[in-house]
Amino acid sequence: MEMKKIIKESKEGILIDIDVQAGSKKNEITGINEWRKRLNVKIKAPAIEGKANKEIIKFFKDIFKKDVEIVSGKLNPQKTILIRDIKKDEVIKKLEELL
């Protein structure tokens, strides 16, 4: 599956659908979940008291050096994040480098 299918443009920035596995050994992007049409993301923090969500925001901020916000799925492993002030092509290029 192409990156383009999981990355959408909005007025505020770029939306990425992600599938999170909390409590992993390290923070990493492991590929694309074809079935769910989401980016697979592993996060060290446990899914307790918003710790994994904070870690997701920090992880993507470190990658893109932009403001990141979880816009849906705060209590769910399937989330949508928003990256502000960036172009879709930049996001795709960066994620492809990481995969």
Side-chain angles (χ1 to χ4, degrees), residues 29-99:
I29 294 169
T30 58
I32 294 173
N33 182 323
E34 302 277 339
W35 186 68
R36 286 197 169 121
K37 295 180 177 57
R38 291 179 176 273
L39 193 66
N40 285 332
V41 179
K42 289 186 174 182
I43 292 294
K44 286 188 288 194
I48 302 167
E49 297 164 0
K51 287 180 183 166
N53 286 348
K54 285 185 187 121
E55 189 89 15
I56 290 161
I57 290 167
K58 184 182 178 306
F59 178 58
F60 280 96
K61 257 187 185 170
D62 290 347
I63 292 170
F64 294 106
K65 313 290 185 244
K66 301 282 182 190
D67 274 342
V68 177
E69 182 185 336
I70 296 172
V71 291
S72 75
K74 284 185 173 70
L75 301 175
N76 191 315
Q78 284 84 46
K79 303 179 187 298
T80 300
I81 61 168
L82 170 69
I83 303 168
R84 296 185 188 280
D85 304 319
I86 195 166
K87 290 185 173 62
K88 189 174 180 178
D89 295 345
E90 290 175 64
V91 172
I92 291 169
K93 186 171 181 263
K94 192 66 163 169
L95 290 175
E96 284 175 346
E97 285 170 13
L98 296 170
L99 288 174

Side-chain angles (χ1 to χ4, degrees), residues 5-42:
K5 290 191 177 147
I6 58 168
I7 298 169
K8 297 174 203 77
E9 293 178 89
S10 78
K11 284 181 205 128
E12 290 87 42
I14 300 298
L15 296 166
I16 307 176
D17 293 330
I18 62 173
D19 195 2
V20 180
Q21 185 182 335
S24 296
K25 283 188 168 70
K26 62 181 185 172
N27 293 342
E28 62 181 335
I29 294 169
T30 58
I32 294 173
N33 182 323
E34 302 277 339
W35 186 68
R36 286 197 169 121
K37 295 180 177 57
R38 291 179 176 273
L39 193 66
N40 285 332
V41 179
K42 289 186 174 182

